[in-house]
Amino acid sequence: MDVNITQFNVQLYFKEPVLDAELLKGAFTATDGFAANPVAKDYGAHPMQGTQSFYRQGFRIAPVQSNVLPFRILQVMSYPNALASPDGETIECLHFVAAQLKQQLAVDLERDIYAVRVVSHAIVNGNPDVQRVLSRLATIEKIPALAGRYVAHKNPMDAIQLVTQTGDELSQESWSDIRVSQFNASSYVVTIFNETESLALALQSIAGFKQFVEAMMQEMEQASQA
């Protein structure tokens, strides 16, 4: 089982509009290896004009250009093709971001955010002798990584969507939406949308992403042969 991480996209949601454009310029500087580009080049005219996006090999950090929540969403996006260890280096980058925001903007990510959204993508190359796994699956009851934890749906093209199974409480500290689709006969695209109430939980989801996907897809292969 070969899990190739293709992207982590992390969005930090702040309670208040704390992402001051000028202070952010001091947080991600050329001294630390960042190159800055005006947001205008990326998005055109926008109320948040004057903000910048910051690039360093394998990473892009930028305030999200939101009309609804201006200066309240910071995106940290990694491009694993440029990284030796996508999950580990993304975690290191998020620790760096947290430290810089605390030092330069007096922002504490555990105190001043109310949610973190992580979108993780991977292409999985499975056992070539076990093909069209998604077409063969009729239930997730024999998949330990999923059974009792997720509600599953499959569309006519055999793509599977899994949503965290919850109780009567609407509010959850962590919630996931998993989508698995066929790439070719024995390869699959896996995307996990994970939303949590803290940076610590988001870091856990990134650290465990590859192991979880590998276990899930191996169990899917086994279940499809039963």
Side-chain angles (χ1 to χ4, degrees):
M1 187 66 62
D2 185 18
V3 179
N4 300 296
I5 299 172
T6 55
Q7 191 177 82
F8 286 115
N9 184 346
V10 183
Q11 291 190 344
L12 309 169
Y13 290 79
F14 291 87
K15 298 174 184 176
E16 302 293 338
V18 298
L19 301 174
D20 180 273
E22 290 303 316
L23 293 178
L24 279 175
K25 293 176 185 177
F28 307 107
T29 66
T31 303
D32 293 310
F34 287 95
N37 283 322
V39 164
K41 291 185 178 180
D42 295 335
Y43 298 97
H46 194 277
M48 289 176 64
Q49 197 69 271
T51 57
Q52 291 185 326
S53 53
F54 307 93
Y55 298 82
R56 188 166 68 180
Q57 184 177 9
F59 292 98
R60 177 183 184 272
I61 300 169
V64 173
Q65 305 307 294
S66 171
N67 287 311
V68 179
L69 298 172
F71 301 103
R72 287 176 55 178
I73 310 171
L74 185 69
Q75 181 183 64
V76 179
M77 185 179 292
S78 65
Y79 301 90
N81 288 340
L83 303 173
S85 175
D87 39 10
E89 290 180 64
T90 298
I91 290 171
E92 289 179 7
C93 181
L94 287 167
H95 281 304
F96 174 80
V97 168
Q100 291 299 98
L101 292 179
K102 187 172 184 177
Q103 181 178 349
Q104 302 293 332
L105 283 78
V107 170
D108 184 329
L109 265 65
E110 293 299 353
R111 179 195 66 207
D112 296 328
I113 62 173
Y114 67 89
V116 183
R117 189 171 198 241
V118 181
V119 183
S120 308
H121 299 277
I123 293 176
V124 181
N125 297 310
N127 184 344
D129 297 325
V130 183
Q131 299 189 355
R132 310 301 301 182
V133 164
L134 302 186
S135 300
R136 296 169 182 268
L137 289 176
T139 177
I140 63 170
E141 291 181 4
K142 295 181 180 180
I143 304 172
L146 304 175
R149 299 177 56 197
Y150 295 90
V151 177
H153 305 275
K154 186 159 70 168
N155 70 20
M157 294 182 290
D158 289 332
I160 293 177
Q161 182 172 1
L162 303 132
V163 180
T164 300
Q165 182 172 302
T166 61
D168 295 332
E169 295 292 330
L170 287 176
S171 180
Q172 304 291 323
E173 69 171 11
S174 184
W175 177 90
S176 292
D177 177 347
I178 304 172
R179 303 177 189 184
V180 186
S181 58
Q182 202 87 38
F183 187 58
N184 58 35
S186 58
S187 296
Y188 309 87
V189 176
V190 178
T191 302
I192 299 182
F193 301 82
N194 179 256
E195 296 180 358
T196 72
E197 62 182 14
S198 73
L199 178 62
L201 289 172
L203 293 174
Q204 286 179 23
S205 75
I206 294 170
F209 173 71
K210 188 172 185 177
Q211 183 178 0
F212 172 79
V213 170
E214 183 174 10
M216 176 181 69
M217 296 309 301
Q218 285 178 336
E219 291 169 5
M220 281 188 177
E221 285 185 341
Q222 293 165 5
S224 72
Q225 300 301 295

